[in-house]
Amino acid sequence: MDTSTVDRRHLDFMLYDVLGVDALCAYPRYAAHSRETFDAAISLAQQLAAEKFLPHNRKADLEEPRLVDGKVALIPEIAEAVRAFGEAGFTAALADEARGGMQLPFVVTAACDALFCAANGGTIAYPTLARAAANLLEVYATDEQKARYMQPILEGRYFGTMCLSEPHAGSSLADITTRAEPHDDGSYRLTGAKMWISAGDHELGENIVHLVLARIAGAPAGVRGISLFIVPRWRVAADGTRGARNDVRLAGLNHKLGQRASVNTFLKFGEAGDCEAWLVGAPHHGLAYMFHMMNEERIGVGISAIQQACASWRYALAYARERRQGRHPDQKDPSTPAVPLVEHADVRRMLLAQKCYVEGGQMLAFHAALLVDRQRDADAQTRDEAAALLELLTPIVKAWCSEYALRANDLAIQVLGGYGYTRDYPVEQCWRDNRINPIHEGTNGIQALDLLGRKALLHDGAALRLLLGEIATTCTAAASDAELAPFAQELAVKARLVGDTTLAVAQRMGRGEVRRALANASDYLLLVGHVAVAWCWLRMALVARRLAPAATGSERDFLDGKVQACRFWFATELPKVELAAKLVATADGSAFEMKDAWF
Amino acid sequence: MDTSTVDRRHLDFMLYDVLGVDALCAYPRYAAHSRETFDAAISLAQQLAAEKFLPHNRKADLEEPRLVDGKVALIPEIAEAVRAFGEAGFTAALADEARGGMQLPFVVTAACDALFCAANGGTIAYPTLARAAANLLEVYATDEQKARYMQPILEGRYFGTMCLSEPHAGSSLADITTRAEPHDDGSYRLTGAKMWISAGDHELGENIVHLVLARIAGAPAGVRGISLFIVPRWRVAADGTRGARNDVRLAGLNHKLGQRASVNTFLKFGEAGDCEAWLVGAPHHGLAYMFHMMNEERIGVGISAIQQACASWRYALAYARERRQGRHPDQKDPSTPAVPLVEHADVRRMLLAQKCYVEGGQMLAFHAALLVDRQRDADAQTRDEAAALLELLTPIVKAWCSEYALRANDLAIQVLGGYGYTRDYPVEQCWRDNRINPIHEGTNGIQALDLLGRKALLHDGAALRLLLGEIATTCTAAASDAELAPFAQELAVKARLVGDTTLAVAQRMGRGEVRRALANASDYLLLVGHVAVAWCWLRMALVARRLAPAATGSERDFLDGKVQACRFWFATELPKVELAAKLVATADGSAFEMKDAWF
């Protein structure tokens, strides 16, 4: 039974045949790269994921992090995997060559990460959080801060965290109360508590660089009064030597439903009044800096979610090809042999739905990842458009992918039946592990508000118009292919529906009915998400149709499968947007008007 | 924070205001009963559930059944709860008074069970499986078998199981291979292995009565060659004294995602060649007998699923009323106080969706449960119609309730955010526990085939016409209420859609396109399920509108909530049936035509 968690042909198809990421090598920053170097990095990631991450995925779930003598005890395989990741250069995948980095494009790095995520979504959090912290410091920290805190992360010696939430303020960052007092030496002293901190304490490296949101005394209320601080777990001298423990205390571990490889902590800062912290950038701009990190993290959440769905889908597919059970409904003779599960129409439906969620979501997420790189284009308009589209797509990638990835996980369990409900098979863990993704890095409800209340309407809907323009381009191309023309027509209709629905919301907001206009934001996210994924499927089908005439054997099957999946999406999923659009456009009030006392 | 798992007012509303179950007291069998005795039983169940079942729900999850010296070790609270359940008379709730039973209607027993299910879905499996075995024996066993095996179950001394699946044959019972050889004394000797046996081995009582499906040597192939046997764990002498251990061996425990209170076993029969078994009824009719048990079990699965959704919904509701987080989107002043979660439109939407799934599903399941009792009506037509409707509704109750209950669990986690992902809050366990319900007692895919391929078309669609007739009656009643008239109109349209879609399938099957006609059976189940639940909501709204003028305060709020939930269902869920109906009626082939090699 083939139980690999990834289909490399499909990954290559997305990256090269559809997205053409090798074109990035024309950018000066990536001039030293080629498709060969990209492939080498991806192949190395694939090998390390299979050899160092996948084997302990279940063990890490069974033996979750514990506190032993005040320290976080992890199974040793985690340290080994994280070390291999760092030594292979993946922690510094994005960093400049001058700093010892691979200087890879974001989208290629994302492809590498995706392979680790499919193998083990928990362990991978340690080095990728560290890398995200390094990325932030690269942009906003001083040279001195970079040397002291960022360079050791790139070298795999230090780790990093993002400390945003507090016990009383998860989604509502405006309400954080951690405070910072200026200190004589130019540093600050922090006091407060932070909740849900992934990788918040462990012994994997020499140090942990916490990036912490806090308020400087006298700061404005709300999110405009939040500053960003570096809080090292161990203080670091100017020459890089490690000093005394800083006043950061591990106050507890959170015991989670899944993702148990990644320790989740409750941290207290400054209980002894001596938590040294260093301001990053200007005071009161911390949230904007953090969102630099958060936005790329949200693309990462979408990819991670889809990859955990990919893993369970591929397992379910292999299982359905092997396991024989029952007969077709028109086969009444019980002496005929049982057929493989995959031959049952309902099982095939469940497998195809998973394929559509997984590969459609991957396509969308990698498209967004490529937009991160396009912001380095020589052409200013290309850069601006990429930035605007990325802003728009980020909440969709985060929320849509995490929601539908979970549905795919659910279907994988169903394909396995009773076996899927046991801990002897991997699919239940995928489902549990993945349940965090609609919640963290901004709940999906908040992503929907971000999309409808802000990004879709920004600059008179400029970013949305760009997206609809790209969709129209695809529709035009598909219209000349007789087999795809009906889909092109359908997608064009649905794209207009997106525009009309958005306009209706904008008008209602213009009349001051803000709350009501945004009440069905989740339906709006489904609308735009499903249309965007339809666009992704049509793009894949277009490329598949272009390549098919020259293809034979399994390659031809691979390409035909893309067209069939596109057909399934347009027949069974895309029509769902009509109801969603209606609820949004009419501002259906059936939930909005529900009173608390009526429950 | 109110964390009770049940809303008694709502339960009473369903049972008395909508279903009028007190009318059952006019049946001779229930003549000794009254609303007071029903209420007394329900109140006792509510108390026992809160005192004996709920408190160890988490502990039983954390400390799952283990094998100790070859015996199943359970936490002691399970034995205590099960004993209390039996001593209160619930194991014999359905049994004749002459046998020491309560002689309660099925629907009232189901209401009692529902309260235990909401408190602890695992522990309740032991006595309810025993009761189901007793019910089957009551109908099909000889008096001698009843005295020896059934009576001790009713007395709470023996337990019972259903042994259908085998490791290679879960859904496909035609393929079971356990075989029975006749023995000199009129008994049989069994040889085989059974998988997924809930409560298959434990030390809770004096004995376990396994009801086992097996083939007698020379039996026809397939399901028409399956016989039903009593296989006691300990042999029982004619005078009821317990004899030697029978040749049934516990071969292993299944380690599950949830429902851990209930031990799930792999059993081997006749390894030593001496597994004594007693035939129940006639040879080769075993599957029909077992389905007597299975059908009521499937109603039970639906109720259990919905109740575990009810528990997490009520927890999420209480949490959302207490937890303050963020502000409305038009409130830009961060110095204003944070609002309770329930005030956020998207949270309210998630809570109302849960209410609709839970209360709509409950209404449907209790309606079906009442049909079990109506089969005792004095009027033959009433009996026949109840039987036909029950047959039709059973797969819907099982599959629809288990699917949408799980969605409700998922939404409850989302309402709690990060806390919902931790094991410190109960909602994640509800989700895990509930994941079995779409799988066991016939997967939901098989329920869909049972509905579309058999029950909806049986006798020229007679049962379906009965259901549509009942729906039409409700529509007529609602049409005269100005507020409900639009819903009545909408439901009538959707009921016609059910009829038309079914006809299209029948015609296609008549043309011999059986596989293709049934390929989208899951969509058909969604169609009929959503329409049936819309009917349930309209009935509840009708009753609520009738009672509302005389109601004040919290009672008025309660009734207004029903009408608003009905509105939400018709606005946001019922329209989804259009796509489902289209896929079924046109026999959309986008999944059916997918080839294995294309994945």
Side-chain angles (χ1 to χ4, degrees), chain A residues 518-540:
Chain A
L518 299 180
N520 298 317
S522 287
D523 285 296
Y524 185 79
L525 199 141
L526 163 68
L527 164 64
V528 186
H530 260 48
V531 168
V533 169
W535 170 53
C536 289
W537 271 114
L538 190 55
R539 289 165 76 193
M540 287 194 275

Side-chain angles (χ1 to χ4, degrees), chain A residues 491-557:
Chain A
L491 182 57
V493 170
K494 296 298 192 284
R496 272 197 299 279
L497 189 62
V498 170
D500 293 347
T501 305
T502 310
L503 192 63
V505 171
Q507 287 168 345
R508 195 176 300 273
M509 289 185 64
R511 293 198 299 273
E513 297 176 43
V514 174
R515 291 188 200 182
R516 193 182 184 101
L518 299 180
N520 298 317
S522 287
D523 285 296
Y524 185 79
L525 199 141
L526 163 68
L527 164 64
V528 186
H530 260 48
V531 168
V533 169
W535 170 53
C536 289
W537 271 114
L538 190 55
R539 289 165 76 193
M540 287 194 275
L542 252 175
V543 174
R545 293 272 299 164
R546 181 165 53 72
L547 299 178
T552 56
S554 64
E555 172 68 6
R556 179 61 192 249
D557 286 333

Side-chain angles (χ1 to χ4, degrees), chain B residues 519-531:
Chain B
N520 298 318
S522 287
D523 285 296
Y524 185 79
L525 199 142
L526 163 68
L527 163 65
V528 186
H530 260 46
V531 168

Side-chain angles (χ1 to χ4, degrees), chain B residues 206-470:
Chain B
E206 297 168 27
N207 208 345
I208 300 174
V209 181
H210 300 291
L211 295 178
V212 184
L213 294 183
R215 295 183 180 287
I216 298 170
V223 294
R224 291 172 202 282
I226 296 175
S227 301
L228 179 66
F229 294 90
I230 292 168
V231 179
R233 184 191 188 212
W234 297 82
R235 297 182 182 186
V236 182
D239 65 354
T241 54
R242 205 174 77 169
R245 267 300 287 266
N246 199 1
D247 183 8
V248 183
R249 189 172 71 81
L250 174 62
L253 302 184
N254 292 310
H255 296 284
K256 296 174 294 175
L257 170 57
Q259 293 280 7
R260 293 187 188 159
S262 130
V263 66
N264 191 281
T265 61
F266 178 37
L267 298 179
K268 290 198 174 168
F269 296 85
E271 278 188 316
D274 196 29
C275 176
E276 183 184 290
W278 299 92
L279 182 67
V280 178
H284 314 325
H285 285 67
L287 202 65
Y289 304 157
M290 191 61 102
F291 266 80
H292 180 95
M293 185 167 168
M294 278 291 279
N295 276 330
E296 291 178 10
E297 282 296 299
R298 284 172 177 174
I299 302 293
V301 168
I303 290 176
S304 175
I306 283 293
Q307 290 303 102
Q308 287 174 56
C310 185
S312 67
W313 166 50
R314 290 184 55 77
Y315 195 91
L317 178 59
Y319 183 89
R321 283 170 165 161
E322 192 161 270
R323 168 92 170 169
R324 289 176 172 270
Q325 191 79 182
R327 288 155 198 85
H328 291 293
D330 56 357
Q331 176 54 270
K332 302 294 184 196
D333 178 1
S335 68
T336 57
V339 303
L341 281 179
V342 70
E343 287 197 25
H344 291 292
D346 194 56
V347 173
R348 210 149 65 230
R349 175 189 66 80
M350 293 192 281
L351 291 168
L352 187 50
Q354 289 171 70
K355 179 183 171 80
C356 280
Y357 295 143
V358 168
E359 296 185 348
Q362 285 173 332
M363 191 71 241
L364 185 67
F366 283 118
H367 180 86
L370 178 58
L371 294 173
V372 175
D373 296 310
R374 289 238 173 98
Q375 294 176 101
R376 298 182 185 270
D377 199 277
D379 176 60
Q381 188 184 343
T382 302
R383 289 200 302 272
D384 291 348
E385 290 185 0
L389 261 176
L390 178 62
E391 279 282 304
L392 182 78
L393 289 179
T394 298
I396 303 171
V397 169
K398 193 276 176 186
W400 190 94
C401 288
S402 60
E403 179 165 349
Y404 288 92
L406 205 58
R407 296 211 187 182
N409 291 136
D410 177 76
L411 292 171
I413 293 175
Q414 196 67 19
V415 169
L416 267 75
Y419 292 99
Y421 196 65
T422 70
R423 308 201 298 277
D424 300 323
Y425 289 78
V427 292
E428 62 86 19
Q429 188 188 340
C430 293
W431 190 62
R432 282 187 292 112
D433 285 351
N434 227 352
R435 186 64 190 80
I436 191 58
N437 284 315
I439 296 171
H440 69 171
E441 314 293 353
T443 64
N444 282 5
I446 285 176
Q447 302 300 322
L449 279 178
D450 180 44
L451 177 65
L452 181 58
R454 229 168 58 82
K455 291 176 173 172
L457 304 175
L458 214 61
H459 307 307
D460 234 6
L464 188 65
R465 271 199 296 270
L466 280 173
L467 177 64
L468 297 180
E470 294 216 8

Side-chain angles (χ1 to χ4, degrees), chain A residues 64 256 348 423 592 596, chain B residues 64 256 348 423 592:
Chain A
E64 69 182 332
K256 294 174 294 174
R348 211 149 64 229
R423 307 201 298 279
F592 187 70
D596 181 7
Chain B
E64 70 181 334
K256 296 174 294 175
R348 210 149 65 230
R423 308 201 298 277
F592 187 70

Side-chain angles (χ1 to χ4, degrees), chain B residues 92-111:
Chain B
L94 296 164
D96 297 354
E97 276 186 36
R99 296 195 187 277
M102 287 207 241
Q103 209 165 308
L104 276 173
F106 185 85
V107 64
V108 176
T109 307

Side-chain angles (χ1 to χ4, degrees), chain A residues 292-311:
Chain A
H292 180 94
M293 183 166 169
M294 278 290 280
N295 276 330
E296 292 178 11
E297 282 296 297
R298 284 172 176 173
I299 302 293
V301 167
I303 290 176
S304 175
I306 283 293
Q307 290 303 103
Q308 287 174 57
C310 185

